[in-house]
């Protein structure tokens, strides 16, 4: 499954003027579904932090940041700020996934299910890869350890060849095996 949210790095600055020919550039890492939304979120946050708008600034560069090792399972810690019906709250959440993009997708789905928060009301402050010993949440720590086993319950035995397959059987299939 491809992740809906992707990690982008957006670099922008205030447009050069005669008084300030070389204004400072600002770099921001954002999660967005596409490049257009990443640019839009950049201007949203820059307007909050600095006196900059899209009309008075320019985007210098937009890059998608990909996962270095997308084939191993990692623990991700995500610090967020979100607006609920009663106010603004800070929160720390942990997810165990293959990539940060998938972990952020899980975050948005989890926040929508548990807290009824919309994507626009969630601001990701920081993300980090967390070591197994530093994890706090039980939903993540239950999958740590060497002797982790997943039972294969109720398996249906299939015939070895097509000739041994029957359309009708005289008895129900046995689906529990030790």
């Amino acid at each position: 499954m491809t992740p809906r949210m992707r990690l982008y790095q957006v670099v922008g600055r205030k447009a050069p003027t005669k008084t300030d020919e070389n204004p400072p550039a600002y770099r921001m890492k954002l999660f967005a579904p596409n490049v257009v939304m990443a640019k839009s979120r950049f201007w949203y946050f820059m307007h909050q932090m600095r006196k900059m708008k899209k009309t008075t600034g320019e985007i210098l560069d937009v890059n998608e940041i990909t996962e270095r090792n997308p084939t191993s399972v990692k623990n991700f810690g995500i610090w967020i700020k979100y607006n609920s019906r009663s106010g603004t709250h800070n929160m720390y959440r942990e997810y165990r996934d293959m990539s940060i993009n998938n972990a952020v997708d899980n975050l948005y789905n989890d926040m929508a299910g548990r807290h009824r928060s919309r994507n626009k009301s969630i601001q990701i402050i920081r993300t980090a890869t967390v070591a197994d010993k530093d994890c706090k949440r039980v939903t993540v720590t239950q999958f740590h350890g060497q002797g982790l086993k997943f039972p294969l319950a109720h398996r249906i035995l299939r015939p070895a060849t097509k000739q041994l397959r029957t359309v009708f059987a005289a008895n129900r299939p046995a689906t529990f095996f030790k």
Side-chain angles (χ1 to χ4, degrees):
M1 188 177 107
T2 58
R4 202 180 80 74
M5 290 293 186
R6 297 167 184 266
L7 179 59
Y8 291 98
Q9 174 181 283
V10 183
V11 181
R13 67 177 184 175
K14 194 177 261 193
T17 59
K18 290 181 180 178
T19 56
D20 191 9
E21 292 182 2
N22 195 10
Y26 297 96
R27 180 176 63 98
M28 198 178 289
K29 289 183 181 178
L30 301 157
F31 287 95
N34 53 42
V35 176
V36 176
M37 284 297 294
K39 290 178 184 179
S40 174
R41 297 302 285 170
F42 174 80
W43 290 121
Y44 172 78
F45 290 121
M46 284 307 292
H47 185 66
Q48 285 182 343
M49 293 188 290
R50 299 280 185 264
K51 246 181 147 175
M52 285 174 57
K53 292 193 300 186
K54 185 179 177 182
T55 55
T56 61
E58 61 183 0
I59 298 281
L60 300 175
D61 195 18
V62 179
N63 297 320
E64 183 179 350
I65 300 172
T66 56
E67 191 77 25
R68 185 174 293 156
N69 189 6
T71 58
S72 66
V73 178
K74 296 170 280 299
N75 307 312
F76 295 103
I78 304 174
W79 288 261
I80 63 170
K81 179 175 93 171
Y82 79 100
N83 295 322
S84 70
R85 294 171 189 168
S86 59
T88 305
H89 310 283
N90 294 321
M91 193 178 284
Y92 167 74
R93 303 191 71 81
E94 284 180 352
Y95 295 96
R96 187 167 169 85
D97 217 313
M98 305 278 272
S99 71
I100 188 68
N101 295 345
N102 289 335
V104 169
D105 272 350
N106 289 342
L107 166 87
Y108 280 116
N109 291 335
D110 199 27
M111 290 297 292
R114 292 179 193 273
H115 301 281
R116 303 293 186 264
S117 62
R118 308 294 185 261
N119 288 4
K120 287 282 190 181
S121 67
I122 299 172
Q123 295 179 11
I124 297 175
I125 298 168
R126 186 166 90 102
T127 60
T129 305
V130 183
D132 285 355
K133 62 181 175 56
D134 297 329
C135 288
K136 301 174 185 174
R137 305 294 187 254
V138 177
T139 55
V140 174
T141 57
Q142 68 182 347
F143 293 110
H144 295 165
Q146 297 298 322
L148 190 64
K149 293 180 181 178
F150 296 98
L152 300 173
H154 297 288
R155 294 174 289 166
I156 297 174
L157 289 179
R158 303 302 231 167
T161 61
K162 195 170 184 177
Q163 287 78 23
L164 296 175
R165 188 174 63 186
T166 60
V167 178
F168 301 105
N171 54 2
R172 290 179 169 222
T175 60
F176 182 74
F177 301 99
K178 291 184 182 180

